[in-house]
Amino acid sequence: MGKVYLIGAGPGAADLITVRAARLLSTADVVLHDALVEPAMLDYAPGDANFIAVGKRSGQRSVAQHLISKLLVDAAREHDVVVRLKGGDPMLFGRGDEEMRALEAAGVEYEIVPGITAALAAAVTLRRSLTLRGVARSVALVTHSPAADTTEIREHANADSLVFYMGRDSAPEIARGLIEAGRAGATPVAIVEACSTARERTLALTLAALADGEAQTWFDPTQPSLLMIGDAFAL
């Protein structure tokens, strides 16, 4: 039985992966990687490794989570080093827990290697800290689906700095929910797309403008994006 490494690939740029992650990738027999992992990052792995794309993209056909877990277990039964390369950090919106439980149930040894989550890299892009003395003392990292109602949004409205992952399609609903919960329409919003890559773009607007749908024609639906909301992100 081999060992599985659940590795955080970071926010995008290939050189933002950790030294430990790069070292482990260089020994991999099998690499199961997310769709958002930059192709250059796969160069850390041996050329004869078996690369399996298992990424999920909004609105596109993708590999079901239970099948990814089965692939990990099956690969560990045939190979010494199996790497599950996950965008950002495995422990934040990465379904790392589901994969850990599947590996434990199958008796497969595993190790987790943290990665830089996109919110931290996006703050660097904006040159704005997630926390700011006298302005922002709390941060909420939130994921939101179009199917969720505004009750979920209002639960997070009191955080000084809000970062919404996977919020592109429901951005107007998120903004309206926050305004209904008492956030001012003039609250600054920064959107960071394709963070840390050569395709990176940013957009600055207000919560009211986001609620009116002004960002929807700006988004590139093929790229990941973050909504950064709060006074700390005033540009």
Side-chain angles (χ1 to χ4, degrees):
M1 187 76 79
K3 185 173 180 178
V4 173
Y5 296 89
L6 304 179
I7 292 178
D15 58 355
L16 284 179
I17 195 171
T18 66
V19 173
R20 180 187 293 183
R23 175 176 57 80
L24 291 170
L25 260 177
S26 71
T27 67
D29 300 305
V30 181
V31 180
L32 290 84
H33 59 90
D34 281 352
L36 296 180
V37 169
E38 289 289 292
M41 195 168 291
L42 301 180
D43 292 340
Y44 289 112
D48 59 354
N50 183 15
F51 297 94
I52 305 174
V54 293
K56 302 181 189 321
R57 298 301 298 271
S58 177
Q60 298 182 24
R61 192 172 183 178
S62 58
V63 182
Q65 184 58 48
H66 72 278
L67 292 178
I68 295 174
S69 298
K70 183 179 185 302
L71 284 170
L72 286 173
V73 172
D74 291 346
R77 287 173 174 157
E78 298 179 9
H79 302 280
D80 291 332
V81 180
V82 179
V83 167
R84 174 70 173 99
L85 193 57
K86 306 170 77 67
D89 183 278
M91 310 300 273
L92 183 69
F93 306 136
R95 300 199 177 187
D97 190 83
E98 296 172 54
E99 293 172 5
M100 287 188 288
R101 299 294 85 81
L103 293 169
E104 290 168 0
V108 177
E109 184 181 3
Y110 67 88
E111 181 180 323
I112 302 162
V113 182
I116 299 171
T117 189
L120 302 180
V124 172
T125 293
L126 297 172
R127 303 291 194 269
R128 293 292 182 272
S129 176
L130 293 169
T131 57
L132 183 62
R133 187 181 303 184
V135 175
R137 299 179 61 187
S138 59
V139 180
L141 307 182
V142 186
T143 181
H144 181 73
S145 69
D149 60 32
T150 56
T151 302
E152 177 185 287
I153 299 169
R154 289 195 293 270
E155 291 174 354
H156 306 288
N158 290 331
D160 296 321
S161 296
L162 282 160
V163 181
F164 280 86
Y165 289 66
M166 295 168 275
R168 179 187 64 229
D169 294 339
S170 53
E173 289 75 16
I174 290 171
R176 287 194 287 269
L178 292 174
I179 291 171
E180 289 172 8
R183 296 299 283 257
T187 301
V189 176
I191 302 174
V192 182
E193 192 173 80
C195 180
S196 79
T197 72
R199 304 177 304 281
E200 181 180 83
R201 298 191 304 155
T202 62
L203 177 67
L205 67 167
T206 65
L207 197 59
L210 189 68
D212 288 340
E214 291 187 17
Q216 298 311 103
T217 57
W218 177 86
F219 284 114
D220 181 344
T222 68
Q223 301 299 324
S225 57
L226 290 179
L227 307 178
M228 320 277 283
I229 302 170
D231 290 336
F233 306 120
L235 299 179

